[in-house]
Structures are given as structure tokens and as C-alpha cells.
Amino acid sequence: MVKKEERRSIEYAFTEISNLVSGNDAVRVKRIQVDLNISGCDYTLCFNDTQSRLVPVKIKGEDEFEVELRNIVAIVPLRDNEHTNARRGGNKRILFANRKPGILVDFKLKSDIAGKMKLSDGELVEVCNGYFVNSSLLKNFNEKTFKIIVGYLSDDGKDKEMQIPVSRRKLQMVKKMVLSD
């Protein structure tokens, strides 16, 4: 059986390889298979890209387009530094790993994630009131500050990090998801 640390490093390697080719539409990593022989027994480790599916997104000032789920980092309130205003207004900011953020206009988080974006339960996880994070990023949870650290591409095209709060109400769910990886 593969140790948890080894499994995470293999999954990290898969994610990194997928991210390297994500800018090239002609190349897509769908699966990595590693064949091992340990003490005379053959083992196969296979990692499928579960987040390679395309999600429809409609951003203010742009036509609807499709983006790979793994490139959606988070959906946050427009004023991400004022956690108390998370529910105010219907416009939300969507953060991406591979393109500048955009504004989702008149976007009702709970209904439109399933409706407009056609995501199933657990693909984007609500970690705080009005803050949804890609479930694959929950491994970057800081248990001391109760925040998830995500990297995204900023408006000026530079890589930035954002700390997203985890509410006390969602803390156990986030811990469980982090430990299940």
C-alpha cells in the first residue's frame, strides 16, 4: 500500500504535469500509470485526471466559454477582504489558475453552481459564507489560521495568493476532506 505522503507527492506530480500542458490545447494528460514490482509482486498505480472536464462560464463583458474545472480556483465575493459582505449582491468574482479573474454577473452561488456551471456536489466546496473553493485545493489548508491558501492569476497577469477563511461551521468538513486525500 502506498504511504499517504507518497500518494500526495504522486498526485502533486500528476497535477504539475497537467498544469504544464494546460496552456497547450493540443496536449492533455488524461492518465498516468506507474507499474511497480515490489518484492516480486506487480503493482499498478493509476491516476486519472478527474478535473479535466469542461465547465461553462459566463463572465461580464465576454461570451460564454468553457474552462477546465481544474483551472477554476475559487468563487469569492467581490469584496474578498470584507468577509461580512459575502452574501451582499449577486455579482461574484471567479479566480482562475490560467487566466485573469472575471465577474460572474447576477450569480446565485448555491443554485448557479449546479445550474449555470453544471457542477455536481463537492466539485466546488463552500468553505465560508459566500466562498467556494475547488475541492482539489483543500490540501492547502492551514489549521492554525483556519484558512485555505490558493494561488491564482491576478488582473495584471501575475501569480498571487489569497487566504480564504474557513468558517467554524465548515471546519470539520474541510478537515475531513483534507485528511481523506
Side-chain angles (χ1 to χ4, degrees):
M1 179 142 206
V2 178
K3 292 181 184 176
K4 188 174 183 179
E5 299 84 34
E6 291 171 348
R7 183 172 157 227
R8 282 193 175 176
S9 65
I10 292 170
E11 288 172 347
Y12 177 77
F14 180 79
T15 302
E16 287 302 305
I17 290 168
S18 295
N19 287 341
L20 285 173
V21 298
S22 68
N24 183 349
D25 292 335
V27 179
R28 177 179 284 162
V29 176
K30 291 185 177 181
R31 175 179 149 149
I32 293 177
Q33 180 174 324
V34 179
D35 295 319
L36 303 168
N37 186 306
I38 302 171
S39 302
C41 295
D42 290 327
Y43 298 93
T44 299
L45 296 174
C46 185
F47 296 92
N48 294 321
D49 187 1
T50 59
Q51 293 211 357
S52 66
R53 73 182 190 85
L54 297 175
V55 176
V57 176
K58 175 70 174 109
I59 292 180
K60 182 179 182 180
E62 297 182 33
D63 291 332
E64 184 173 300
F65 62 95
E66 290 185 329
V67 63
E68 288 188 23
L69 177 58
R70 69 172 173 224
N71 289 322
I72 296 175
V73 174
I75 297 175
V76 300
L78 282 177
R79 296 181 168 185
D80 52 44
N81 58 347
E82 296 179 21
H83 307 307
T84 57
N85 290 332
R87 285 190 174 238
R88 221 173 91 203
N91 297 347
K92 304 295 179 225
R93 190 167 182 224
I94 184 167
L95 306 175
F96 297 99
N98 64 344
R99 62 166 280 162
K100 295 177 184 179
I103 306 285
L104 298 169
V105 180
D106 195 24
F107 194 82
K108 297 169 190 74
L109 284 171
K110 292 181 182 176
S111 62
D112 285 343
I113 283 178
K116 290 180 182 175
M117 296 181 82
K118 298 175 177 62
L119 294 176
S120 59
D121 201 28
E123 292 177 315
L124 284 181
V125 179
E126 185 177 26
V127 294
C128 191
N129 190 12
Y131 290 80
F132 282 75
V133 176
N134 191 321
S135 60
S136 67
L137 300 175
L138 292 180
K139 60 184 167 265
N140 299 327
F141 175 61
N142 184 331
E143 290 191 57
K144 292 178 183 172
T145 63
F146 302 119
K147 293 185 179 179
I148 294 170
I149 301 165
V150 297
Y152 69 98
L153 202 62
S154 67
D155 289 325
D156 57 2
K158 296 181 180 175
D159 289 330
K160 283 195 171 181
E161 284 189 347
M162 176 185 285
Q163 293 187 10
I164 297 177
V166 176
S167 70
R168 281 185 243 155
R169 188 169 56 90
K170 301 287 185 173
L171 191 57
Q172 291 303 321
M173 180 265 312
V174 170
K175 283 183 177 180
K176 185 177 179 182
M177 290 184 84
V178 169
L179 293 175
S180 70
D181 282 346

